[in-house]
Amino acid sequence: QRLSQMLQTSLELDKVLGTFFVELTRCLALDGMEYRNDSRTLQFKFGHSATHRCSYRITHAGEYLGDLQFTRQKRFSEAQLAHLETFIGSLLYPLRNALLYHEAVSSALSDTLTRTGNRLAFNQALDREVQVSIRHRTPLSLLVVDIDHFKAINDTYGHQAGDGVLRELSWRLLDAARSGDVVGRIGGEEF
């Protein structure tokens, strides 16, 4: 019951899972835990890997919530596995809520057509990067790309063709970007 209350104090997925791991470690002497959700490209690791493992696929009402793998140096006893499964039951709703929150935040910050960050995400990233640049006295580069005569593409070939051009440009920008770079759509055809 205490664990359930603790897990409901945050909607941040990493905090929910981190709290879950810390509390389980106290009870079951775990060495590590890994959470994966390939459909949402999420992965979190806590602790370190060990010899003995047990894995669980978490679903709720037919909805896939992710996979958990636990590791420890000593073999899991049947009683420990039963406790572990009870603890996983207390993670179910906080995990589902954290995933819904993560999805809502991601949707609010992404441009659905191009799969890049939207203007809000761009502004937040720019503010953050400017502050980091000032604090560390490092250079900062900003590249603004737009499509010349884009209105003519829409007028001549239609908005579907224009959307295809925007998607193609965004894919090329995302492909060229480094892991620390931010690509965002800040206007109609401006990235």
Side-chain angles (χ1 to χ4, degrees):
Q1 199 171 32
R2 184 177 82 99
L3 177 59
S4 292
Q5 291 172 341
M6 291 176 70
L7 293 174
Q8 294 177 32
T9 61
S10 177
L11 287 173
E12 297 291 334
L13 192 54
D14 59 334
K15 290 181 182 172
V16 170
L17 291 168
T19 300
F20 184 68
F21 175 67
V22 167
E23 291 303 308
L24 279 184
T25 300
R26 288 182 187 169
C27 300
L28 299 174
L30 295 176
D31 290 308
M33 180 181 89
E34 180 179 353
Y35 169 81
R36 293 180 62 102
N37 187 318
D38 293 332
S39 65
R40 291 181 169 111
T41 60
L42 295 170
Q43 181 176 5
F44 295 95
K45 291 183 179 183
F46 302 91
H48 58 277
S49 188
T51 309
H52 298 282
R53 304 170 190 277
C54 64
S55 300
Y56 296 90
R57 184 172 197 82
I58 312 298
T59 60
H60 173 65
E63 179 188 2
Y64 169 69
L65 300 179
D67 294 299
L68 283 170
Q69 182 179 81
F70 303 96
T71 62
R72 60 182 286 190
Q73 291 301 330
K74 289 180 154 185
R75 186 180 180 118
F76 290 94
S77 71
E78 291 300 320
Q80 289 168 330
L81 290 173
H83 286 317
L84 189 55
E85 291 167 12
T86 301
F87 287 131
I88 291 171
S90 66
L91 176 65
L92 189 66
Y93 290 111
L95 177 61
R96 185 197 62 178
N97 292 341
L99 287 169
L100 289 171
Y101 176 74
H102 180 269
E103 196 172 301
V105 169
S106 296
S107 294
L109 296 175
S110 66
D111 178 68
T112 55
L113 176 66
T114 63
R115 302 286 185 229
T116 62
N118 62 16
R119 187 179 191 102
L120 175 61
F122 169 76
N123 288 338
Q124 289 177 352
L126 182 60
D127 288 345
R128 181 181 60 246
E129 293 302 321
V130 166
Q131 292 304 315
V132 168
S133 178
I134 290 168
R135 182 175 40 237
H136 296 289
R137 297 182 181 185
T138 56
L140 174 66
S141 298
L142 174 66
L143 176 66
V144 178
V145 176
D146 78 330
I147 302 172
D148 291 338
H149 313 292
F150 182 71
K151 184 177 180 330
I153 294 170
N154 277 337
D155 292 346
T156 305
Y157 302 103
H159 289 281
Q160 239 180 345
D163 288 351
V165 169
L166 291 172
R167 278 193 295 272
E168 182 66 31
L169 176 60
S170 70
W171 292 335
R172 290 177 186 241
L173 291 172
L174 289 167
D175 188 50
R178 299 169 300 183
S179 63
D181 293 341
V182 175
V183 177
R185 183 176 177 197
I186 57 174
E189 82 284 1
E190 296 171 326
F191 292 84

